[in-house]
Amino acid sequence: MDIDIKKNKSYKDLMQLVDKVKVMGVRTNAETPEDAAHGLHFGAEGIGLFRTEHMFYGEGSEEPLFLLRKMIVSKTEQERREALDELYKYVKKDIKDTLLVMKGRPVTIRLLDPPLHEFVPHDKDKLKQLSKELGISMGMLNRRVLALHENNPMLGHRGVRLGISYPEITEMQVRAILKAAAELIKAGKKALPEIMIPVTCTVNELSHQKEIVYKVYKEVCEKMKMKSIPYLYGTMIETPRAAIRAEHMANIADFFSYGTNDLTQMSFGFSRDDIGGFLPKYLDLKILPFDPFQTIDRDGVGELVMDGVQRGRKIKPKLKVGICGEHGGDPDSVKFFHKLGLNYVSCSPFRVPIARLAAAQAQIENPRK
Ligand code: PEP
Ligand code: MG
């Protein structure tokens, strides 16, 4: 590895001290075994967010992306299941490689989140090529792509809503996660996946998906001849409603992870992709003191987090709660999350040392057991 910060004596001494003092955990957001290794190198204690969709972007994504597109344009459940069966081995490998690097540390794997239209090409030439590869007419492909169009995709058919509409997508992902863990354990390694459902707003979504998870769990245990496979089942808390209904969510979930990017977006009603048009003026005029997507807005979004933690822990006093939005690497926000009693923050690999230092400073400023 070309990052040799750990060889620096002052860094090493400081980090030793930091780890002695801090009580809140620091995990990393990672979507590849390389990211996971970087996070570990910087002292991450687990993965707080593994975005499963990452495998459909960038280098090496051609084959899985093609199969995902095949699944997206399927007309029937049968066709969709066939495409998912083909996709399964890529998903399992992706997860298994990361679980392996993490050597039994917790890995929170979030089920597919983005709206499906993000994965289909929109220019004519690429659509033509796809129609050839899939063996379907341009007319049919155009109709399917058009049907996926949404006016507000970030508030549209995404997150758990995909798993409710197409339970077979959840099934395939959960099978891949549990099978990957089971294979590692059978080979004498350790694995601890935490299955996480995104963009939930009602407990009924969580129980619907939990039934699928449990059905697949039984099936994988039987197939692998294992009495049990370790895993946790939890939810993102990233819609204001989920935060307000946290005690109900806690009945079903083993853990919460606050998605403060979406929670900020939905609380302010600011599209996180469009703040460039108005936020600079807001900051100039001091209408807002800082960018709430960088530093947590303690007065509003922070209140929602605090309230949700209290509600959740009323039902389950030991409920594991973390955060995996961008704020997990922002020192001021880390100190706030420490105060709220969160178990961990999760941030990009290179921000892990800063988050560790902020967690230690927070403990000195506001000691917590
Ligand atoms: C979030 O919303 O805070 C989050 C971590 O998820 P994403 O940024 O992928 O929507
Ligand atoms: Mg989100």
Side-chain angles (χ1 to χ4, degrees):
M1 189 174 298
D2 53 0
I3 302 154
D4 61 358
I5 195 167
K6 274 171 90 177
K7 287 192 187 137
N8 181 303
K9 183 164 176 343
S10 309
Y11 172 82
K12 253 174 44 186
D13 291 348
L14 175 66
M15 284 303 155
Q16 250 175 22
L17 198 60
V18 155
D19 286 340
K20 256 194 220 152
V21 173
K22 75 174 185 57
V23 292
M24 187 167 66
V26 176
R27 296 193 190 183
T28 189
N29 293 355
E31 282 93 34
T32 62
E34 293 74 30
D35 277 356
H38 279 135
L40 279 182
H41 186 75
F42 286 125
E45 296 153 53
I47 292 183
L49 177 61
F50 179 93
R51 292 175 166 102
T52 40
E53 60 270 18
H54 180 90
M55 65 181 297
F56 304 114
Y57 303 110
E59 208 185 312
S61 63
E62 296 79 11
E63 191 62 16
L65 179 60
F66 171 72
L67 294 169
L68 183 75
R69 286 170 167 173
K70 192 169 163 185
M71 185 280 288
I72 291 171
V73 302
S74 300
K75 288 188 303 301
T76 62
E77 183 186 326
Q78 180 59 27
E79 273 182 27
R80 214 164 24 249
R81 281 190 181 275
E82 281 165 21
L84 286 166
D85 283 349
E86 288 182 80
L87 185 56
Y88 163 80
K89 71 168 187 225
Y90 294 95
V91 178
K92 189 183 76 172
K93 181 180 182 320
D94 198 44
I95 290 164
K96 191 172 171 182
D97 290 349
T98 299
L99 286 173
L100 181 64
V101 170
M102 294 308 287
K103 297 193 171 104
R105 293 176 185 87
V107 177
T108 307
I109 301 159
R110 182 180 74 184
L111 303 191
L112 196 66
D113 183 346
L116 296 181
H117 76 92
E118 270 199 16
F119 301 105
V120 292
H122 293 281
D123 76 79
K124 221 172 164 190
D125 288 346
K126 287 199 175 131
L127 275 171
K128 243 188 205 161
Q129 192 190 335
L130 184 63
S131 87
K132 249 195 232 151
E133 287 168 358
L134 290 172
I136 59 174
S137 71
M138 264 305 268
M140 165 95 74
L141 186 57
N142 274 328
R143 273 197 297 282
R144 188 67 188 113
V145 171
L146 212 64
L148 289 172
H149 173 79
E150 292 176 304
N151 287 321
N152 278 320
M154 288 307 277
L155 299 176
H157 203 170
R158 61 173 287 218
V160 67
R161 298 158 209 169
L162 294 171
I164 303 275
S165 304
Y166 310 115
E168 52 278 11
I169 300 183
T170 302
E171 259 179 50
M172 181 279 287
Q173 291 193 281
V174 172
R175 189 172 295 118
I177 294 168
L178 294 175
K179 193 85 187 301
E183 285 177 3
L184 286 171
I185 291 166
K186 279 227 145 174
K189 316 256 193 256
K190 288 184 184 157
L192 182 52
E194 299 178 338
I195 298 169
M196 180 158 78
I197 312 294
V199 206
T200 50
C201 60
T202 159
V203 67
N204 293 338
E205 292 166 326
L206 263 191
S207 16
H208 178 279
Q209 296 288 288
K210 193 172 187 171
E211 260 181 47
I212 299 173
V213 171
Y214 193 63
K215 184 187 89 178
V216 174
Y217 170 76
K218 288 294 211 196
E219 171 206 300
V220 176
C221 283
E222 201 171 304
K223 206 164 187 176
M224 296 298 286
K225 300 190 175 29
M226 289 169 78
K227 277 210 186 98
S228 66
I229 302 165
Y231 79 96
L232 296 181
Y233 177 75
T235 183
M236 298 276 294
I237 301 283
E238 54 184 342
T239 67
R241 192 179 193 282
I244 290 166
R245 301 290 289 169
E247 65 269 52
H248 301 272
M249 306 304 253
N251 266 324
I252 307 289
D254 300 318
F255 67 90
F256 288 171
S257 180
Y258 277 83
T260 47
N261 304 333
D262 269 307
L263 194 58
T264 300
Q265 163 165 268
M266 295 189 210
S267 301
F268 278 87
F270 289 172
S271 158
R272 56 200 259 203
D273 301 317
D274 302 304
I275 48 171
F278 57 88
L279 194 65
K281 189 82 188 239
Y282 268 58
L283 298 177
D284 271 359
L285 295 177
K286 302 211 174 346
I287 288 175
L288 285 177
F290 50 78
D291 176 352
F293 288 96
Q294 303 286 333
T295 298
I296 195 81
D297 157 49
R298 295 185 184 208
D299 300 340
V301 181
E303 278 282 314
L304 276 177
V305 178
M306 181 170 71
D307 187 55
V309 173
Q310 286 169 357
R311 284 171 188 267
R313 289 197 176 143
K314 236 192 307 180
I315 301 298
K316 284 190 183 153
K318 293 217 151 87
L319 183 75
K320 183 150 63 155
V321 185
I323 96 118
C324 61
E326 284 305 311
H327 306 86
D330 170 69
D332 187 66
S333 311
V334 170
K335 289 181 182 178
F336 177 68
F337 297 132
H338 163 91
K339 255 192 179 166
L340 298 192
L342 261 57
N343 299 79
Y344 66 86
V345 292
S346 187
C347 55
S348 64
F350 295 98
R351 294 177 94 186
V352 166
I354 293 173
R356 286 162 68 199
L357 177 60
Q361 289 168 336
Q363 174 65 7
I364 292 166
E365 289 160 18
N366 287 294
R368 146 185 151 189
K369 282 197 188 128

